[in-house]
């Protein structure tokens, strides 16, 4: 009985020695620069930086020359800390926020069906493009709200509303919206188009009082050439827009809105 015990014990000892040696020989060297950068990132893994997550971004900064100011949620503070870890001068971070290109709340449009399926935008979209009479509008089940890690979105009167004071511009909401209604624009821009309908004006007008009818009055009113009407819907180039507001006053349906009128603080009850 003693011999088998000795043999098994010897084999275990030899295996232990081999594993220790392998761990020493095959151990990856510590990446102190990566660790230092990764420690400064917020861990949102939102992808706003253009990389898969915080780990990938930290690796890109440490070893591939990526810019140190790409972390939108972290803002200037994170950019400064990452730059310090790299030993470079901090670059400017331009704040951003999300806007919802739909003004079709329950006061200006109606549902076309009584949808009883799974209560998500993604599921509703698969069923005749959603319950709303406008197939391009906000589906209203809050997939964007659930994706937001900062509590910056709520469903108010049937559509998604963004609280600019809380939004960090990470873009997570934009990625989950089935109708692609959400975009991220510079915080300095206060005017945007609150509609995404590509239907002809007469059709849009029937289903939503606030819809863009493609009349091009905004395009003609803009002296900066910041507005173009394509596929029956207006769009604003944030690089050219100076927030003069002429397009807002010239829009006959109220499809062009200001942040002050739409990006209000979200009610607690929402």
């Amino acid at each position: 009985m003693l011999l088998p015990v000795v043999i098994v014990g010897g084999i275990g000892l030899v295996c232990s020695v081999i594993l220790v040696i392998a761990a020493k020989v095959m151990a990856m060297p510590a990446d102190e620069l990566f660790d230092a950068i990764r420690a400064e990132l917020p861990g949102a893994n939102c992808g706003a930086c253009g990389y898969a997550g915080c780990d990938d971004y930290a690796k890109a900064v440490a070893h591939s020359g990526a810019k140190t100011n790409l972390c939108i949620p972290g803002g200037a503070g994170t950019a400064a800390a990452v730059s310090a870890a790299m030993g470079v001068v901090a670059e400017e971070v331009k704040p951003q926020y999300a806007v919802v290109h739909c003004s079709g709340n329950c006061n200006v449009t109606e549902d076309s069906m009584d949808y009883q399926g799974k209560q998500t935008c993604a599921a509703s979209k698969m069923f005749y493009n959603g319950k709303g009479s406008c197939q391009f509008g906000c589906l209203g089940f809050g997939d964007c709200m659930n994706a937001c890690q900062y509590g910056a979105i709520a469903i108010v009167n049937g559509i998604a509303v963004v609280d600019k004071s809380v939004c960090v511009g990470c873009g997570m909401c934009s990625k989950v919206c089935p109708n692609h209604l959400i975009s991220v624009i510079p915080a300095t821009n206060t005017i945007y188009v609150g509609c995404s309908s590509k239907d002809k004006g007469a059709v849009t007008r029937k289903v939503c009082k606030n819809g863009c009818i493609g009349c091009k009055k905004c395009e003609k009113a803009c002296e900066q050439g910041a507005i173009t009407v394509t596929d029956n819907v207006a769009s604003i180039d944030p690089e050219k827009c100076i927030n003069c507001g002429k397009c807002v006053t010239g829009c006959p349906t109220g499809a062009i809105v200001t942040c002050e009128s739409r990006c209000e603080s979200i009610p607690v009850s929402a």
Side-chain angles (χ1 to χ4, degrees):
M1 295 293 292
L2 183 61
L3 181 60
V5 174
V6 173
I7 293 174
V8 173
I11 293 174
L13 179 61
V14 172
C15 290
S16 299
V17 173
I18 293 174
L19 289 174
V20 170
I21 295 173
K24 294 288 185 180
V25 173
M26 301 177 66
M28 295 293 291
D31 191 342
E32 295 181 359
L33 185 56
F34 164 80
D35 291 340
I37 295 171
R38 180 62 184 85
E40 301 298 341
L41 299 178
N45 291 312
C46 60
C49 57
Y51 295 89
C54 293
D55 285 355
D56 282 353
Y57 178 49
K59 291 177 183 177
V61 173
H63 306 298
S64 302
K67 291 186 176 181
T68 59
N69 65 338
L70 300 182
C71 181
I72 302 300
T78 295
V82 172
S83 298
M86 289 293 294
V88 298
V89 177
E91 298 182 58
E92 179 186 6
V93 177
K94 295 182 179 180
Q96 301 179 122
Y97 71 104
V99 293
V100 182
H101 299 283
C102 177
S103 300
N105 60 54
C106 58
N107 298 318
V108 297
T109 189
E110 298 178 352
D111 290 345
S112 61
M113 69 175 79
D114 182 16
Y115 175 73
Q116 297 294 326
K118 186 176 181 181
Q119 302 294 291
T120 68
C121 297
S124 176
K125 176 68 175 178
M126 297 175 65
F127 193 78
Y128 295 99
N129 286 318
K131 61 184 177 64
S133 54
C134 176
Q135 63 176 326
F136 300 97
C138 179
L139 294 159
F141 290 106
D143 288 15
C144 54
M145 179 180 69
N146 296 329
C148 181
Q149 302 179 44
Y150 303 94
I153 304 180
I155 302 300
V156 180
N157 291 332
I159 61 172
V161 175
V162 178
D163 184 343
K164 183 182 179 183
S165 67
V166 180
C167 180
V168 299
C170 68
M172 290 289 283
C173 53
S174 175
K175 295 176 182 178
V176 300
C177 178
N179 277 348
H180 311 292
L181 299 178
I182 305 176
S183 67
V184 178
I185 65 174
T188 52
N189 290 91
T190 60
I191 297 173
Y192 64 97
V193 180
C195 181
S196 297
S197 175
K198 293 180 173 60
D199 283 330
K200 291 184 178 180
V203 177
T204 299
R205 195 63 170 154
K206 288 181 180 179
V207 297
C208 181
K209 295 178 182 178
N210 286 346
C212 176
I213 57 177
C215 65
K216 296 192 175 185
K217 288 185 177 180
C218 56
E219 189 177 271
K220 295 174 182 177
C222 182
E223 298 175 356
Q224 309 301 317
I227 304 180
T228 55
V229 176
T230 307
D231 294 331
N232 303 310
V233 63
S235 62
I236 299 177
D237 184 346
E239 298 296 325
K240 295 180 179 179
C241 180
I242 60 173
N243 302 312
C244 68
K246 292 182 179 179
C247 55
V248 178
T249 56
C251 179
T253 65
I256 302 179
V257 297
T258 64
C259 182
E260 286 74 16
S261 64
R262 285 291 304 279
C263 300
E264 301 173 350
S265 295
I266 296 172
V268 176
S269 59

